[in-house]
Amino acid sequence: MRCPFCAHDDSQVKDSRPTEDSTSIRRRRQCSSCGARFTTFERVQLREVTVVKSGDRRQPFERGKLEQSIALACRKRDVPQERIDQLVSGIQRQVETAGEAEIASQRIGEMVMDGLRGLDSVAYIRFASVYRDFSEARDFEEFASTVQEAAANERS
């Protein structure tokens, strides 16, 4: 593993342990050249999946992009990082175990929407505003009212 401080190619693993949700391994490493310590995470990747975007553009599935978009929707909300990580891991697992080499970006967007709906209503609306391309305040109002109605029905 390359050292992020001096770019030396060799480092030693000093400690390994599973993360809280057991979806990855956390490793503490020490660079054999400069002695700096850093942390890496190792995750199982079941298969290479290609995301088919609008206009038939294709690119590899990247967990980091998924994490970033969900974190942005949850920014300044009282959503624990652990819950965000669980949502990202769950979506990644669904994508990789679907048995398909390609998945439409719309399908991933729907998975995120489903996950955020149960996580935080404001994050759900934020993500929906970008995903569904809201162009006017009325779009927000209509969507927010459907979210409120669904929440009221769940409480009844």
Side-chain angles (χ1 to χ4, degrees):
M1 176 67 61
R2 183 176 305 234
C3 174
F5 302 103
C6 71
H8 187 70
D9 284 337
D10 192 31
S11 63
Q12 283 185 310
V13 174
K14 294 296 184 182
D15 181 45
S16 293
R17 63 181 70 163
T19 56
E20 288 181 19
D21 61 358
S22 296
T23 59
S24 61
I25 301 289
R26 178 183 181 272
R27 299 195 191 281
R28 285 294 291 159
R29 297 177 174 269
Q30 184 171 7
C31 177
S32 59
S33 177
C34 71
R37 289 186 177 229
F38 55 99
T39 302
T40 60
F41 291 89
E42 182 179 312
R43 288 188 171 82
V44 172
Q45 182 173 354
L46 297 174
R47 62 173 29 169
E48 292 289 326
V49 178
T50 301
V51 178
V52 180
K53 301 184 136 237
S54 61
D56 255 4
R57 292 177 298 129
R58 287 170 165 68
Q59 64 184 83
F61 174 80
E62 293 180 39
R63 178 188 171 93
K65 283 188 175 184
L66 183 60
E67 285 176 319
Q68 185 178 6
S69 63
I70 292 173
L72 187 60
C74 294
R75 196 176 88 201
K76 295 186 180 181
R77 300 295 301 157
D78 191 23
V79 178
Q81 184 63 42
E82 179 182 310
R83 297 282 311 273
I84 293 171
D85 293 341
Q86 288 172 345
L87 176 59
V88 171
S89 293
I91 293 170
Q92 181 180 13
R93 213 169 311 132
Q94 288 178 38
V95 167
E96 291 178 346
T97 60
E100 301 292 324
E102 295 184 336
I103 186 167
S105 61
Q106 293 85 2
R107 179 68 190 119
I108 296 172
E110 292 299 324
M111 290 178 191
V112 172
M113 294 271 291
D114 289 344
L116 286 175
R117 183 181 304 122
L119 197 61
D120 183 82
S121 60
V122 173
Y124 175 56
I125 293 170
R126 283 179 180 168
F127 186 84
S129 71
V130 174
Y131 177 67
R132 295 202 174 148
D133 197 23
F134 292 176
S135 56
E136 298 179 14
R138 185 177 55 233
D139 297 335
F140 279 98
E141 292 170 4
E142 290 172 3
F143 190 76
S145 67
T146 61
V147 170
Q148 284 179 325
E149 288 172 13
N153 289 340
E154 287 177 11
R155 282 187 233 124
S156 300

